[in-house]
Amino acid sequence: MSFPKGFLIGASTAAHQVEGNNVHSDYWAQEHLPHSSFTEPSGIACDHYSRFEEDIGLMAKAGLNAYRFSIEWARIEPEDGKFDENEIEHYRQVIRCCRENGVEPLVTLMHFTSPVWLIRQGGWEAESTVARFRRYAAYVTEKLGDEIRWICTINEANMGLQLAAISRRFQLMAQQAQKNAQQAEGTVQVGMNFRKMMENMKFAAQENAQVFGVPNPQIFVSSRTPEGDALVFRAHQAARDAIKAIRPEIRVGITLSLHDLQALPGGEAFAENAWEEEFLHYLPYIQEDDFLGVQNYTRTQYGPAGQLPCPEGAELTQMDYEFYPEALEHVIRKVRKDFKGDLIVTENGVATSDDTRRVEFIRRAMAGVESCLKDGIPVKGYCHWSLMDNFEWQKGYAMTFGLIAVDRATLLRTPKESLRFLGAYAKSSAAGSAL
Ligand code: BGC
């Protein structure tokens, strides 16, 4: 294995999934609805909010040199226009802790969760959200910009359209058979309980109206309209321009959820259309970015009748995705054809209770990254999802993606072999040649 010196090798988390007590956020509100679609509420999560020093320390000890985490908008701006300096100070401590440990911080500004007030104002379908997000991004940059080199504005900005598609497919499949419905859940790269959502629909409208003022709140991962889809990317552009105006030296990008879309004979047109929807139509919004965050977990195959289920006998992860680490290399190569900036793998990982499978996943995924580097593709880093077992959104704590195990009763951290294994790549790259 040979990664160039300066190559970022680290792990990712998101505020809501690890910090705990994110009480001003839309997710917290939805988790506590009487007929919530969440398996369980996030609660204290991993208490990373108070234990970040221990977590960053474990990461650094294993050799990792990068940490991608998110700043929580609902903490920074719990009320419209009211910013909390104490929370800025909290994240300043997190960033400084990274630097003291020789770990480069990669900061995400919005990782799915929004303040409740934003959703009450129309959320991710409301034009005003563009200016609101710009204002938040500018505030964070004013306060913390001198300490940050990399910012991801929005995590998986293309998620809304993917969810709209899967929700259409789910409704269709659910009508056909319960068994098929389970398969539909396994085709989106994030933890969603579609079946539970459908069952709860009759109660959800009224309960949502009480909390958000509307029966159908437009949270970030709601099914997006084409207008909402464009709005998310305009919010990204507005934030990017605001950050650059204050700190031109910060490298700014967005992250996208990208599947390795493979066509079997007769499935070419389906795969091409899906790639257009998942990636190509966003190019006009991101070509000016410094980098693109590539997030990949699996592949999707298409045949003459459209999307196919996982191949017979395929190894499935806890999320019901196919275990297929080669997908990462395929996606990087495909993205590179049309996106000319730098690439960073900002998420890639596997939900499994068998850590030997995670080690194998990392080994094969990293071989793919290495091969891309050999061909001169400007990949600048790899951040594994996730640093620790955490709150997998609607699916709760049963999905274990972590390099570090977290005991749910005691919150005790236990590094897994996979953490050591990933760290070894970073240690060897530290001795390599300059990028
Ligand atoms: C998201 C993470 C999530 C992971 C695993 C990505 O879609 O960014 O928040 O936990 O996938 O499902």
Side-chain angles (χ1 to χ4, degrees), residues 12-14 17 68 111-112 155-156 159 162 188-192 255-257 295-297 319 321 346-351 385-386 390-393 395 399 401:
S12 296
T13 63
Q17 294 177 270
R68 171 175 176 249
H111 193 125
F112 294 168
N155 180 66
E156 296 192 341
M159 187 49 88
Q162 289 183 18
V188 66
Q189 296 194 131
V190 73
M192 300 287 289
T255 84
L256 297 177
S257 163
Q295 309 202 163
N296 167 263
Y297 289 84
M319 298 284 284
Y321 311 150
T346 39
E347 285 184 31
N348 174 245
V350 57
W385 184 271
S386 175
N390 61 44
F391 182 68
E392 180 55 26
W393 308 111
K395 290 191 184 290
M399 306 289 124
F401 277 95

Side-chain angles (χ1 to χ4, degrees), residues 47 118 129 143 182 298 335 337 342 367 383:
D47 194 23
L118 187 91
T129 291
K143 298 287 175 181
Q182 182 66 36
T298 191
V335 160
K337 286 187 193 153
D342 288 343
C383 289

Side-chain angles (χ1 to χ4, degrees), residues 80-98:
D80 186 4
K82 288 209 173 126
F83 295 87
D84 189 337
E85 288 273 351
N86 292 330
E87 296 293 356
I88 285 289
E89 281 316 306
H90 168 76
Y91 290 108
R92 191 187 307 282
Q93 296 315 316
V94 176
I95 293 166
R96 290 195 175 161
C97 178
C98 286

Side-chain angles (χ1 to χ4, degrees), residues 372-389:
C372 293
L373 283 170
K374 280 201 182 110
D375 287 342
I377 300 178
V379 186
K380 300 295 173 188
Y382 173 93
C383 289
H384 191 78
W385 184 271
S386 175
L387 177 61
M388 61 190 119
D389 293 341

